Amino acid sequence: MTDADLEDLLSRSPVLFHMAEAGSWPSIRDKGLLSTSALVDLYGITGVARDRIEAERRPGPVVLDHPAQGRVVIRDNAPLNIRKLGRALPPDLPVEDWLRLLNGRVFFWLSRDRLGRLLGARLYREAAHDVLEVDAASLVAAHRARIELSPINSGVTDPFPAPRGPDTFRRIADYPYAEWQRKRGRNGEAAVELVVPGGVPDIADHIRRVVPMRGDREEGTLWERVASGRAGG
């Protein structure tokens, strides 16, 4: 990806979106937006309990509680169909390793349309969520060397399991942006996900708004950046 490609991407996607569990914003503000693996590290989860979180499908959210760290909720990954996922991976990549790879990253949508599809999915449309709206240029300026891009929704297998593997995620410098533009057309999605391994400890510095949502309905504003500083909590 060239600098011109990156400029084009940021002009098309000035705001990134992350859907978090309802009530997660105070913890995210204080701890940063951490990957699942970073959270289980922080909470000292080991052995079988850790494998169930990192290397298996989570049909529901997982609550972690610690007297010093407080309470956090790890989201489910229910949209994954393990059987279909196995068919989408190369033969030398076990499903468990792919799940660990996903759990080592945090994910942002590059379009509000993608966010809307997730919020409107049958599994989530009646649930409440904290949606982070992130300034894309600010995040890229701070974390460009670590950021990766994906041309697919790496966390779903329906309606069909797009092929995927370790090279699904490419650093900005290595991402074939122009190639995906040619394949999908000028108005298509040359990238679908923006991904940060480990997480974004300073995520609060890059957020524009935090919005509680249920389906496609905004239910107020939890926090909003204003020109003179921060407001709303």
Side-chain angles (χ1 to χ4, degrees):
M1 173 183 271
T2 66
D3 287 346
D5 289 336
L6 180 58
E7 184 177 342
D8 183 70
L9 177 68
L10 294 175
S11 70
R12 292 167 177 268
S13 303
V15 180
L16 308 173
F17 303 91
H18 177 87
M19 189 177 91
E21 198 76 15
S24 295
W25 165 236
S27 177
I28 292 170
R29 179 193 59 210
D30 297 340
K31 294 181 176 67
L33 183 59
L34 303 181
S35 71
T36 294
S37 295
L39 283 171
V40 296
D41 283 343
L42 183 64
Y43 279 73
I45 309 300
T46 60
V48 173
R50 181 174 186 128
D51 289 342
R52 286 175 178 163
I53 294 171
E54 283 189 304
E56 297 180 10
R57 178 178 176 271
R58 298 186 298 273
V62 177
V63 177
L64 303 181
D65 215 336
H66 189 279
Q69 299 296 343
R71 180 180 182 273
V72 297
V73 179
I74 295 175
R75 292 194 60 83
D76 67 83
N77 56 7
L80 274 176
N81 180 301
I82 296 300
R83 180 177 55 82
K84 289 183 178 181
L85 177 59
R87 297 204 306 266
L89 296 172
D92 60 345
L93 181 59
V95 166
E96 295 81 4
D97 289 354
W98 175 254
L99 294 178
R100 287 190 178 93
L101 186 150
L102 295 184
N103 284 314
R105 290 159 165 79
V106 296
F107 294 80
F108 300 90
W109 296 120
L110 286 156
S111 74
R112 191 174 184 91
D113 177 66
R114 287 279 180 175
L115 169 71
R117 292 187 215 176
L118 185 61
L119 288 168
R122 179 179 56 82
L123 289 167
Y124 301 129
R125 66 174 64 114
E126 298 302 324
H129 307 278
D130 289 353
V131 173
L132 313 183
E133 298 181 357
V134 177
D135 187 288
S138 174
L139 185 68
V140 169
H143 298 283
R144 179 169 177 165
R146 297 197 301 124
I147 285 171
E148 300 168 340
L149 297 168
S150 166
I152 65 169
N153 180 345
S154 58
V156 301
T157 46
D158 290 323
F160 62 87
R164 64 203 71 192
D167 61 351
T168 296
F169 304 106
R170 302 278 190 92
R171 296 285 177 90
I172 287 175
D174 301 322
Y175 189 76
Y177 186 79
E179 179 183 334
W180 282 109
Q181 270 200 328
R182 286 193 297 272
K183 288 180 178 179
R184 292 175 173 170
R186 179 65 184 167
N187 296 320
E189 292 178 295
V192 171
E193 297 172 333
L194 185 146
V195 182
V196 187
V200 186
D202 63 344
I203 189 65
D205 293 339
H206 311 294
I207 287 179
R208 293 186 177 188
R209 263 200 330 159
V210 182
V211 184
M213 295 190 69
R214 193 180 300 270
D216 62 357
R217 303 186 303 278
E218 293 188 7
E219 299 182 336
T221 301
L222 292 173
W223 189 93
E224 184 169 16
R225 187 178 301 279
V226 294
S228 60
R230 299 176 177 181

